[in-house]
Amino acid sequence: MRKINTVGVIGAGIMGNGIAQSCAMVGIPVVMLDISEVAVQKGLVKIGNSLDRLIKNNTLTLAQKDAVIALITGTTDINAFKTVDLVIEAATENQALKIKLLKEVDAVIGEEVILASNTSSISITKLAAATKRSDRVIGMHFFNPVPLMDLVELIRGLQTSDATHAKVEAFAKQLNKSPITVRNNPGFVVNRILCPMINEAIFVLAEGLATAEAIDNGMKLGCHHPIGPLALADMIGLDTLLAVMEVLYEGFNDSKYRPAPLLKEMVAAGYLGRKSGRGFFTYS
């Protein structure tokens, strides 16, 4: 397998643009793909805003920002991936969509290129089976906000080769991340623990035991969590949280993973958290 010199990212949303920024910040050129030019430009603006915050905090210079931006190419043309060494899929947490995108990219990229999915819950074994390079498919689950969070979960599907795992593990470390390797299983490790906790906080809210503010303050003050579970749900996106809970519920057939009815209701209403301006809290 050739060295990873250029990366393609599928999706210019919150995770995709964060992954693109993280790659560019260590000097790796990135091609960031999305379905429309509007989405691409929005992602580039988000990256610029993120870099501006680093400048404000005196952790980045204007010249360094310009150098990072110069390494990121936004596009709507999948053929731009023909020259990359690794593709990271960061689309919506929807199995059918991810399989469709991976099949499309699989047909375009070189034989030795690795496909990684940023899925937070979907089976890597199943995603890999949809491609013609199943041994070169791996899960690479980043955490939000990507440029600031150290952890990357590396998920090995049944078909993932040792060489693929070793190469992606080295790449994660090149991004100044701390990777942990986990087996393929619904929710993997972090979300299997984290999402049911958030889901239970939603049950507590729905039952009227306390206000959203009180629940979050209780977990911050009593458990030293840096952010409350309901604010964290808003940051993750309530639609994403619901998708993860549904994967856990279906995968384990265990009632402890049933999504809270209030969570379903809020997603149905379009109250998705920060990205929609309203979730358990309101955002400008």
Side-chain angles (χ1 to χ4, degrees):
M1 290 187 181
R2 63 191 186 191
K3 184 180 177 183
I4 297 173
N5 294 311
T6 309
V7 174
V9 176
I10 304 174
I14 189 168
M15 297 304 292
N17 67 59
I19 294 168
Q21 177 183 329
S22 295
C23 292
M25 287 186 72
V26 296
I28 299 174
V30 190
V31 178
M32 185 173 69
L33 173 81
D34 213 310
I35 194 168
S36 70
E37 187 61 32
V38 171
V40 170
Q41 291 304 317
K42 186 176 179 181
L44 292 171
V45 168
K46 292 286 187 182
I47 292 171
N49 292 340
S50 174
L51 296 172
D52 286 339
R53 286 192 292 273
L54 295 178
I55 292 173
K56 188 176 180 179
N57 293 333
N58 296 316
T59 56
L60 196 75
T61 67
L62 183 57
Q64 287 171 325
K65 173 192 172 181
D66 291 341
V68 170
I69 293 293
L71 289 172
I72 303 171
T73 301
T75 185
T76 58
D77 183 6
I78 198 169
N79 289 303
F81 281 172
K82 286 184 175 179
T83 59
V84 305
D85 304 305
L86 166 70
V87 174
I88 304 173
E89 171 272 312
T92 304
E93 194 70 357
N94 177 287
Q95 181 176 288
L97 174 62
K98 288 181 183 292
I99 287 175
K100 176 180 179 290
L101 290 170
L102 291 176
K103 282 183 174 180
E104 290 175 356
V105 173
D106 190 32
V108 170
I109 57 179
E111 185 179 340
E112 293 299 310
V113 177
I114 293 172
L115 278 175
S117 176
N118 180 55
T119 178
S120 55
S121 61
I122 296 169
S123 169
I124 297 301
T125 297
K126 189 171 289 187
L127 295 179
T131 74
K132 297 177 182 178
R133 65 186 71 228
S134 58
D135 62 318
R136 294 186 294 285
V137 176
I138 191 169
M140 199 174 189
H141 178 210
F142 292 83
F143 289 78
N144 184 31
V146 178
L148 302 180
M149 297 294 281
D150 292 332
L151 180 64
V152 176
E153 274 185 317
L154 301 182
I155 305 100
R156 297 190 63 153
L158 189 62
Q159 314 95 314
T160 306
S161 69
D162 290 342
T164 295
H165 172 262
K167 193 167 185 178
V168 173
E169 183 178 48
F171 171 70
K173 291 177 180 177
Q174 189 179 347
L175 297 183
N176 298 317
K177 303 298 184 186
S178 299
I180 62 170
T181 299
V182 306
R183 285 194 303 110
N184 187 63
N185 210 255
F188 315 131
V189 170
V190 174
N191 276 345
R192 182 173 169 181
I193 298 168
L194 176 67
C195 291
M197 182 200 74
I198 298 173
N199 192 55
E200 196 63 27
I202 299 170
F203 271 111
V204 169
L205 177 67
E207 292 167 15
L209 272 65
T211 65
E213 291 81 1
I215 291 167
D216 275 15
N217 284 335
M219 292 303 291
K220 287 190 290 184
L221 298 173
C223 300
H224 278 195
H225 288 194
I227 184 173
L230 299 177
L232 181 56
D234 283 350
M235 181 183 292
I236 293 169
L238 302 194
D239 52 341
T240 300
L241 176 62
L242 177 58
V244 174
M245 291 307 302
E246 287 175 337
V247 166
L248 290 171
Y249 191 31
E250 180 183 350
F252 291 108
N253 193 27
D254 189 331
S255 62
K256 73 181 180 182
Y257 296 116
R258 78 280 185 224
L262 177 59
L263 174 60
K264 292 183 176 182
E265 188 79 359
M266 292 184 71
V267 171
Y271 302 158
L272 307 182
R274 286 182 178 271
K275 60 186 172 185
S276 70
R278 177 175 177 179
F280 294 107
F281 301 96
T282 302
Y283 306 89
S284 58

